[in-house]
Amino acid sequence: MASDQLRTYKHKLSADDFVFAFTATEADFALRADELRNKGVERLTTSLLRERLPGDDPRSLWGYEETMFTCLMAVEVNAPEAESAIQIANLYRQVPNLFLLRSRLPSLTLKESRLTDSDAAESVCTNFHIFASTIGGFGVVQFSKIGYVRIDGASTTSYFGIHGASTTGNFYIDGASKIGGCRLSGASKAGDFSIQGASTTGQFWIDESSETGIFKISEASKAGAFWITKASKTGRIWVTGESKTEFFDISGSSTAGDLSVDAKSTTGNFWIKDYSTIGQFNIEASTIGKFSIERASTAGNFKIVDSFCSGFEGYELCASFFLQSATIAQMRLTDCYIPELEIRSGCKMEAYFTNSQINLLDFRHLTLSKESTVSLLNCRVYACLMVEFAMQGQLYMRQLQPLSEPFTWYDAYKQVGENDNDTIANNQNQSYHQYRLAKLTGTQPNQLNIAESTFRVSQSSLGKTEFTSCDLGSFRFEFSNSKITEVFMSGGTVPQSNIVIYGEQPDTLAWEEQKVSAYNQLKKIFDGQGDVYWATTLQAKTAEHQERLLRLRRQGEQTWFSTTFWDLKTFQLNRLSNLHGESWGRALAFTLGTAAFFYLLFLLTIGRLFQPTAFDWALAGQYFQFLDPTHKPDFVKQVNLSFGAYAADFVGRIFVGYGIFQFIAAFRKHGKK
């Protein structure tokens, strides 16, 4: 066997330069070496085959005694420039290991070869090692198959190509090695790629329905651009350990797993387009360029923590977002479905959400910095939570509408790297949907228990937040211990009967105190804007709940005529007379009614009422004199006034005058300046 292989390839390079060594175990090495020398291979010594790659199992060269292994090895090869390439063709022998040590070759190609014996029941995958060597190019083409590829020891390869439905195992690029570029095409397949140890690679092209495993770039390594196109597929892409890459272009119905950049790493732009799909997108303590996902492409959820992003743009996207200590130059999401949008403290961003639906808008435990601007335009929201929220930047909510119920969504991540069976994928999606919806609507301690469209403001300061044409009156508006007096409201609906107090039981002191605070602050908002209608309407609501508050406080008092007692009577009389300034009709009825009561009482005291004589119709006309608080006591002629008559007249003047004042106040409510 050895002599046949030597005759086949001896014309490529001289025996002094290129060594094919066939051995079973180290014990019979001498015999094999003598046999090779007899066949014309010179300068073959035991030291050559005893070369080891650092960290490798020494048996990788020799195998086990029980099994016949063959090793193909090139040591200290320096091919002349005239020899443009070395091609290993039609090789179907079992070759467990292919080693290239301290050598320089223009190119090396495996063509129509399988460096493993698939027919053997206990076959061993071929492993290809390049250590401290330089190759102009390496190709695996035309249905060839090899095992893992290891490039180590500051080796250099100008190009690595896997084409024509060929298959390789994992790639390990380590020890400050360099690869000019790598391309998979023609439905080829490769395992995982590990680029580490300050290694450097050029661009990666994965196209024509090719597939790879995971890409991991770590330990301060550098990689060029990634092109994943034409229905190709990769596993997770992970850039970590202060590594750097150029841009990522995923297009043409291609699929990538999770995209992760962490540990002070840096990448260029990300483009996801043409019906392509990615998994989760996680950025932590790193810097990335612009992220753009076009219509008809899908993605998993996004998490950006303690990182910088030069831009983010998405259309018709269905994904959740978690942002914390993130700096985003500009973020635009249009026509999107967002199950959860969580913004945490430390963010500096300019974000615009347009024509989108959001199940949960989460501003809990957040101080929106002065450098931040967040705008929601024509969005529909099921739950907006502002808890321990402080507004220092700019927050604009325009044409905000409530969602009657949370939407269900498609989680693209569940199909990335998962079983392709549609039934299994659908079941996984359904399970995931139920879990996320349960977090929003469930009643367990770790769930939010939101049963209807809710806008919650608790322990917060909304600063100069602007609400324009927002339907706040259709939300369940939950309020507690917050400052909203600087808010701007224009158009839309205003919270009134839909205000509930978060964390308190109805008809308690705390409930009514917070109601008074909410309505009073809303009233001040419209006072400042010169909107008299809403200011007086909310003033009435404030007084209504102030009365309820006084009634609850009064229940705990023992003294009859306390300050609370008189304050309560004042609010009750104000409600009775003109509905806290809201109803001039009620004020008119109050004035006419009280005047009639005291006028009849006056007539009774002077003996002109309930007499057997005919009714004096002049008394009816004198009622209108009684309506004048400045009338004379003797406006009814030819009577002697008793103490009771004077008392009825005096008290009647007070109530009539009060009624007239309440009538004027209610009637002029829209004319206040």
Side-chain angles (χ1 to χ4, degrees):
M1 177 180 67
S3 60
D4 292 341
Q5 292 296 327
L6 286 173
R7 292 193 190 97
T8 301
Y9 292 102
K10 192 172 181 180
H11 70 278
K12 293 292 183 183
L13 293 172
S14 68
D16 289 343
D17 295 325
F18 196 43
V19 178
F20 292 87
F22 301 86
T23 183
T25 66
E26 190 170 4
D28 65 350
F29 167 77
L31 176 62
R32 297 288 182 177
D34 289 340
E35 180 182 347
L36 290 173
R37 288 192 186 92
N38 294 333
K39 298 297 183 179
V41 179
E42 302 295 337
R43 295 167 52 187
L44 179 63
T45 65
T46 57
S47 63
L48 292 178
L49 287 180
R50 287 173 180 166
E51 294 286 349
R52 298 286 186 263
L53 295 178
D56 278 352
D57 187 336
R59 293 177 299 179
S60 63
L61 289 179
W62 309 104
Y64 301 92
E65 291 190 15
E66 293 80 10
T67 307
M68 181 64 178
F69 283 81
T70 305
C71 175
L72 175 60
M73 184 179 214
V75 182
E76 296 181 349
V77 173
N78 289 282
E81 294 299 328
E83 301 291 343
S84 61
I86 296 176
Q87 179 170 288
I88 303 175
N90 302 308
L91 179 61
Y92 286 90
R93 300 292 185 181
Q94 180 175 320
V95 183
N97 292 287
L98 170 59
F99 291 96
L100 184 64
L101 306 179
R102 298 190 306 277
S103 302
R104 182 181 298 275
L105 301 176
S107 66
L108 178 61
T109 302
L110 304 182
K111 181 179 180 182
E112 297 181 3
S113 299
R114 293 175 57 191
L115 301 187
T116 180
D117 187 356
S118 60
D119 297 329
E122 299 179 359
S123 62
V124 180
C125 291
T126 298
N127 303 318
F128 178 41
H129 299 253
I130 301 175
F131 185 80
S133 301
T134 299
I135 298 180
F138 179 82
V140 182
V141 300
Q142 296 182 16
F143 306 101
S144 296
K145 295 182 180 181
I146 65 172
Y148 75 73
V149 178
R150 187 180 193 94
I151 303 174
D152 203 345
S155 296
T156 301
T157 303
S158 62
Y159 173 78
F160 213 111
I162 306 169
H163 311 293
S166 297
T167 303
T168 70
N170 297 338
F171 280 73
Y172 303 93
I173 304 167
D174 201 350
S177 297
K178 295 181 180 180
I179 295 181
C182 181
R183 182 165 187 170
L184 278 77
S185 65
S188 296
K189 295 182 179 181
D192 298 340
F193 282 77
S194 178
I195 305 168
Q196 60 191 26
S199 297
T200 303
T201 71
Q203 296 187 358
F204 282 86
W205 284 83
I206 304 164
D207 61 6
E208 297 176 355
S209 301
S210 296
E211 297 182 16
T212 73
I214 296 171
F215 276 91
K216 182 179 180 181
I217 302 120
S218 61
E219 299 177 8
S221 297
K222 297 180 181 180
F226 282 75
W227 302 82
I228 304 169
T229 66
K230 299 180 182 179
S232 296
K233 181 183 292 187
T234 71
R236 180 185 183 187
I237 300 176
W238 185 12
V239 185
T240 185
E242 301 184 24
S243 298
K244 296 181 179 180
T245 71
E246 295 181 15
F247 63 82
F248 292 80
D249 188 302
I250 303 172
S251 61
S253 301
S254 296
T255 301
D258 292 350
L259 301 181
S260 302
V261 185
D262 59 30
K264 299 181 180 180
S265 297
T266 303
T267 72
N269 298 337
F270 290 81
W271 287 288
I272 317 298
K273 53 192 178 182
D274 302 333
Y275 301 93
S276 296
T277 299
I278 65 169
Q280 307 276 29
F281 187 80
N282 299 309
I283 310 298
E284 294 190 31
S286 297
T287 299
I288 68 171
K290 180 180 179 181
F291 184 96
S292 176
I293 182 166
E294 297 182 358
R295 288 178 169 86
S297 293
T298 55
N301 299 326
F302 292 79
K303 181 179 180 181
I304 304 177
V305 177
D306 193 25
S307 298
F308 174 84
C309 175
S310 63
F312 195 106
E313 192 174 55
Y315 299 93
E316 297 180 358
L317 176 65
C318 181
S320 294
F321 292 83
F322 180 88
L323 309 175
Q324 179 174 317
S325 299
T327 300
I328 305 177
Q330 188 174 94
M331 182 176 188
R332 290 188 179 274
L333 294 176
T334 305
D335 299 328
C336 293
Y337 286 80
I338 305 174
E340 297 175 11
L341 173 58
E342 300 180 53
I343 303 178
R344 296 289 181 258
S345 287
C347 292
K348 298 179 181 179
M349 56 191 298
E350 183 178 339
Y352 301 91
F353 304 90
T354 306
N355 299 328
S356 297
Q357 295 190 31
I358 305 173
N359 278 350
L360 175 60
L361 182 58
D362 193 344
F363 289 158
R364 292 178 295 173
H365 319 298
L366 166 66
T367 297
L368 199 62
S369 65
K370 294 180 179 179
E371 297 87 353
S372 295
T373 298
V374 177
S375 172
L376 288 90
L377 174 61
N378 194 29
C379 291
R380 296 171 64 85
V381 176
Y382 181 74
C384 177
L385 306 184
M386 297 179 175
V387 180
E388 297 181 21
F389 170 66
M391 183 64 212
Q392 296 181 355
Q394 292 80 42
L395 176 59
Y396 304 100
M397 294 191 175
R398 301 181 174 106
Q399 301 175 26
L400 189 72
Q401 303 289 327
L403 274 173
S404 59
E405 61 183 14
F407 63 83
T408 56
W409 64 94
Y410 169 79
D411 182 24
Y413 173 65
K414 286 298 176 181
Q415 285 194 348
V416 177
E418 300 284 347
N419 193 306
D420 292 332
N421 185 283
D422 290 339
T423 301
I424 294 177
N426 289 336
N427 289 340
Q428 290 173 332
N429 289 335
Q430 185 65 30
S431 176
Y432 182 77
H433 296 165
Q434 291 173 350
Y435 167 74
R436 302 309 299 178
L437 288 174
K439 176 187 175 183
L440 183 62
T441 60
T443 58
Q444 298 301 316
N446 61 338
Q447 297 172 334
L448 294 175
N449 189 21
I450 298 176
E452 59 182 295
S453 299
T454 299
F455 197 105
R456 180 180 298 167
V457 182
S458 176
Q459 304 290 342
S460 298
S461 176
L462 268 58
K464 298 183 181 297
T465 300
E466 295 187 13
F467 296 93
T468 306
S469 300
C470 295
D471 191 10
L472 297 179
S474 296
F475 284 92
R476 172 186 168 93
F477 195 92
E478 297 182 353
F479 177 88
S480 176
N481 296 300
S482 297
K483 179 183 177 183
I484 60 174
T485 51
E486 295 181 87
V487 163
F488 176 82
M489 290 186 179
S490 177
T493 59
V494 177
Q496 293 188 79
S497 59
N498 61 318
I499 294 180
V500 297
I501 304 308
Y502 177 62
E504 301 293 346
Q505 294 297 319
D507 300 322
T508 61
L509 278 173
W511 176 279
E512 295 300 337
E513 285 173 349
Q514 290 300 313
K515 281 265 191 171
V516 170
S517 175
Y519 286 119
N520 191 42
Q521 290 190 72
L522 287 169
K523 180 253 183 188
K524 289 181 179 180
I525 291 171
F526 290 102
D527 266 340
Q529 296 172 194
D531 191 331
V532 177
Y533 172 80
W534 278 114
T536 53
T537 300
L538 292 163
Q539 171 61 33
K541 298 294 289 185
T542 302
E544 175 188 338
H545 288 278
Q546 185 69 62
E547 179 185 341
R548 295 181 184 179
L549 176 62
L550 291 171
R551 188 180 294 113
L552 290 170
R553 288 177 177 172
R554 177 65 183 154
Q555 291 175 357
E557 293 183 350
Q558 302 297 324
T559 305
W560 275 97
F561 299 104
S562 65
T563 302
T564 303
F565 172 83
W566 292 113
D567 288 342
L568 178 59
K569 295 307 175 184
T570 300
F571 276 97
Q572 289 175 337
L573 185 59
N574 198 40
R575 172 173 51 83
L576 179 65
S577 60
N578 69 354
L579 198 61
H580 303 296
E582 280 296 289
S583 174
W584 62 266
R586 178 176 289 198
L588 180 61
F590 175 84
T591 304
L592 296 176
T594 55
F597 173 79
F598 285 104
Y599 181 59
L600 292 174
L601 184 62
F602 175 78
L603 293 179
L604 182 64
T605 59
I606 64 176
R608 300 294 295 273
L609 197 63
F610 305 122
Q611 297 298 319
T613 59
F615 180 75
D616 185 359
W617 286 101
L619 294 176
Q622 289 170 340
Y623 165 74
F624 294 100
Q625 279 187 279
F626 192 83
L627 283 171
D628 181 3
T630 63
H631 68 267
K632 294 181 179 181
D634 58 350
F635 68 97
V636 178
K637 304 300 181 182
Q638 300 177 353
V639 296
N640 294 320
L641 299 179
S642 64
F643 174 79
Y646 277 112
D649 181 68
F650 176 75
V651 177
R653 289 171 189 264
I654 293 176
F655 276 92
V656 169
Y658 176 75
I660 292 172
F661 172 80
Q662 293 291 80
F663 172 78
I664 295 172
F667 197 83
R668 295 185 66 249
K669 70 174 183 177
H670 301 313
K672 296 179 182 179
K673 295 184 179 180

